[in-house]
Amino acid sequence: ATLPPVALSSRRSGYNRCMERPDTLLYRAAQVRELDRLAIETFGIPGYTLMCRAGDALLAVVREHFPRAHRLVVLCGPGNNGGDGYVVARLAREAGFHVRLFRLADPERIRGDAARARQAWLAAGGGETPWEGRLPERSDLLVDALLGTGLERPVEGAFLDAIRAMDAHPAPVVAADIPSGLHADSGAVLGAAARAAVTVTFIGLKQGLFTGAGPDRCGEIRYHRLGAPAEIHRRLPASARLMEDTLRDPLRRPRPRDAHKGRFGHLLVVGGAPGMSGAARLAGEAALRSGAGLVSVATHPRHAAHLNAGRPELMVHGVAESEELRPLLERAGAVAIGPGLGREGWGRVLLEACLATDLPLVVDADALNLLAEDVPRSRGRWVVTPHPGEAARLLGMTVPQVQADRFHAVRALAEATGAVAVLKGAGTLVHDDSGTLVCHRGNPGMASGGTGDLLTGIVGALLAQGMEAGEAARLGVWLHALAGDRAAGRRGERGLLASDLLDELPLLVNPPQGATHGH
């Protein structure tokens, strides 16, 4: 089954758990082992049968994605991951492929179902070559079946050499279950990790495939349940979930014909220190494009008169001190603070004024850096949206520590602040009391200045329109990623500008064409 370009149900009362599908549920490695146990012991599917189905799924993906490949190289480790490799090697050889298999474990270390798979390969006439540090140059495709989900320490020795050899080889790599060297729970690289063109993962989706280094190392992810009943997933709560496009369900209803701007919220964007007015403008424009009825911008008086020159719909106010901000806060329904705010006294007093209100709030950029000097700070109805550097400052950690376990970091952010926490980056995470969601959309073209300011404006606009903090954060992250993918599809990833995403937003926040007004 192909992993769809997806999204998760969003309801004010929480997720609609009865509608969850296995291809949206994410698990830690220990949980996947429990799913395996349930399939084998409770539902009577032999482990070797599951292994043979995994090999069959791997071969199907090879044929689909690489129809011209004929010369396969399979690298097998000692565990069940290696067993999957022996099975796909045997099936490929039977199907007419030229297969060369390299063994990276002593035969006595290969046990259980993996040993049975090895014996079936040898009995069918297949050979195996102990790893000696080199891959055949004339190879069309490499199958990585070295290390599975149980890896907990940095790769070393022959396995490290083999991973490096795969990365240096021109042939594409298909990974069995997980790219070798990638941590299944965190998405961190343990010393070195294979870089797959396609990863075929089995039984349950591993959460580390979708964040950190996971998206880069996995390539396209294909999921196969191996015929295990969906009941096993209902018996084991997931550790996280993938976002799905059902997050946009609240936006599919057309607006009533008697609507006026006051019905759709008033967002106040606070930011734009001297030299950084563009950040506040991008946030304000994103809020307008995301459906906010009114958007005001409180910015430094030095450039207030010019900030909306290209976007007159923004109501811009020069604010020198917190007293001048108070009447703007009284008229607003939600606040977005941080884009271009700076870390000097001007930004500091404005942040304190915003934190002192009970308005829904989204905090980003320099507002987070200022907040990091005074953590813990807890209030209701707010969203924090740090990138890894800002998250590290908030948590008193280093960036590598944050990236080593992004799931832990996002939970720690939510706990430290009492906010809905968004940890940006490849595989953006959103965590609140209802759990953790992972965004598997977005692209490297969005790694450019200003795209984070857009997210601030989008989430702020949703808060202003009455969404709860968790719902606004989840939907805002999803819309932001979809807009980035649409923009990259039109222009390419290199050279993509944050402002290129703005025109995509109205296409995402409106119901399909032809929907009836007022219903």
Side-chain angles (χ1 to χ4, degrees):
T2 303
L3 188 68
V6 275
L8 240 206
S9 297
S10 174
R11 300 287 187 272
R12 291 184 180 273
S13 58
Y15 304 127
N16 186 355
R17 297 184 184 277
C18 67
M19 297 300 291
E20 289 172 343
R21 304 191 316 269
D23 61 1
T24 66
L25 304 179
L26 304 182
Y27 297 94
R28 295 184 297 275
Q31 292 177 298
V32 176
R33 288 192 288 273
E34 176 63 11
L35 292 175
D36 267 326
R37 189 195 67 78
L38 287 171
I40 294 167
E41 297 182 9
T42 303
F43 291 93
I45 305 174
Y48 186 66
T49 297
L50 294 174
M51 186 172 286
C52 289
R53 290 174 182 175
D56 189 61
L58 284 163
L59 183 58
V61 168
V62 167
R63 284 174 151 164
E64 177 185 349
H65 283 261
F66 308 100
R68 296 185 180 181
H70 177 67
R71 295 166 297 189
L72 268 61
V73 171
V74 183
L75 295 96
C76 292
N80 284 346
N81 197 249
D84 297 341
Y86 278 104
V87 173
V88 73
R90 174 174 57 81
L91 296 176
R93 186 173 181 272
E94 292 171 356
F97 288 80
H98 179 274
V99 181
R100 181 97 181 264
L101 187 146
F102 289 89
R103 173 174 49 79
L104 276 88
D106 293 331
E108 58 268 21
R109 290 184 58 200
I110 305 173
R111 299 171 182 169
D113 292 329
R116 183 176 174 183
R118 175 173 177 263
Q119 289 303 319
W121 160 252
L122 296 174
E128 58 181 6
T129 303
W131 174 251
E132 296 179 349
R134 293 175 61 87
L135 290 170
E137 293 183 6
R138 292 173 58 80
S139 305
D140 300 324
L141 188 68
L142 311 178
V143 177
D144 167 23
L146 290 174
L147 300 167
T149 60
L151 187 67
E152 290 292 342
R153 55 191 175 92
V155 181
E156 57 187 17
F159 292 95
L160 178 60
D161 292 340
I163 289 172
R164 289 174 172 169
M166 283 192 287
D167 282 349
H169 200 282
V173 175
V174 173
D177 204 26
I178 187 170
S180 293
L182 186 72
H183 195 277
D185 291 354
S186 68
V189 171
L190 296 178
R195 194 181 304 274
V198 185
T199 296
V200 190
T201 197
F202 310 121
I203 295 290
L205 291 170
K206 293 80 185 168
Q207 63 181 30
L209 303 183
F210 296 95
T211 196
D216 181 58
R217 301 297 168 140
C218 291
E220 181 179 340
I221 297 173
R222 300 291 296 272
Y223 168 57
H224 204 296
R225 209 167 70 224
L226 304 183
E231 175 65 23
I232 64 174
H233 299 275
R234 289 191 282 271
R235 294 192 180 196
L236 188 68
S239 61
R241 293 165 177 79
L242 289 176
M243 291 182 176
E244 298 181 80
D245 208 47
T246 49
L247 282 171
R248 289 200 291 146
D249 284 353
L251 303 174
R252 300 186 193 279
R253 189 170 186 170
R255 288 181 166 178
R257 298 297 287 171
D258 61 349
H260 57 84
K261 62 189 177 186
R263 292 184 62 172
F264 305 121
H266 186 170
L267 177 68
L268 175 63
V269 176
V270 182
M276 296 185 285
S277 62
R281 175 174 161 176
L282 283 169
E285 288 200 49
L288 288 171
R289 293 295 191 186
S290 301
L294 295 165
V295 178
S296 295
V297 179
T299 192
H300 198 279
R302 186 176 300 178
H303 51 246
H306 309 290
L307 188 143
N308 66 344
R311 181 54 62 208
E313 296 88 349
L314 293 172
M315 299 179 290
V316 180
H317 305 266
V319 173
E321 56 188 27
S322 61
E323 284 300 314
E324 297 174 0
L325 187 63
R326 185 166 290 113
L328 301 179
L329 289 169
E330 290 174 354
R331 292 197 293 271
V335 179
I337 184 167
L341 188 69
R343 304 191 201 183
E344 304 304 322
W346 178 78
R348 192 180 302 274
V349 297
L350 297 186
L351 175 60
E352 289 298 330
C354 292
L355 289 171
T357 73
D358 61 356
L359 291 170
L361 188 65
V362 54
V363 182
D364 186 34
D366 280 331
L368 293 170
N369 293 321
L370 292 170
L371 192 66
E373 301 173 10
D374 192 26
V375 171
R377 173 74 71 99
S378 187
R379 76 191 297 275
R381 300 200 301 168
W382 68 325
V383 181
V384 295
T385 61
H387 59 55
E390 293 156 349
R393 287 186 281 276
L394 285 164
L395 295 173
M397 301 168 67
T398 65
V399 173
Q401 286 173 329
V402 169
Q403 291 295 84
D405 192 342
R406 287 168 55 82
F407 287 94
H408 168 76
V410 76
R411 291 192 299 269
L413 284 166
E415 182 176 346
T417 61
V420 176
V422 176
L423 180 56
K424 296 185 289 195
T428 292
L429 307 179
V430 181
H431 182 83
D432 65 3
D433 290 342
S434 59
T436 305
L437 262 67
V438 183
C439 180
H440 61 289
R441 297 293 295 269
N443 63 83
M446 299 170 71
S448 63
T451 54
D453 303 316
L454 299 182
L455 177 61
T456 305
I458 296 167
V459 174
L462 298 174
L463 289 171
Q465 291 173 77
M467 285 191 175
E468 294 176 357
E471 186 178 18
R474 293 186 289 270
L475 178 56
V477 166
W478 186 242
L479 292 171
H480 183 249
L482 293 181
D485 285 348
R486 289 177 63 95
R490 296 176 188 273
R491 298 173 176 84
E493 294 178 358
R494 288 187 177 89
L496 193 69
L497 302 180
S499 55
D500 292 334
L501 279 62
L502 290 169
D503 287 341
E504 308 298 339
L505 287 170
L507 303 173
L508 295 167
V509 300
N510 280 292
Q513 290 186 349
T516 303
H517 287 289
H519 296 284

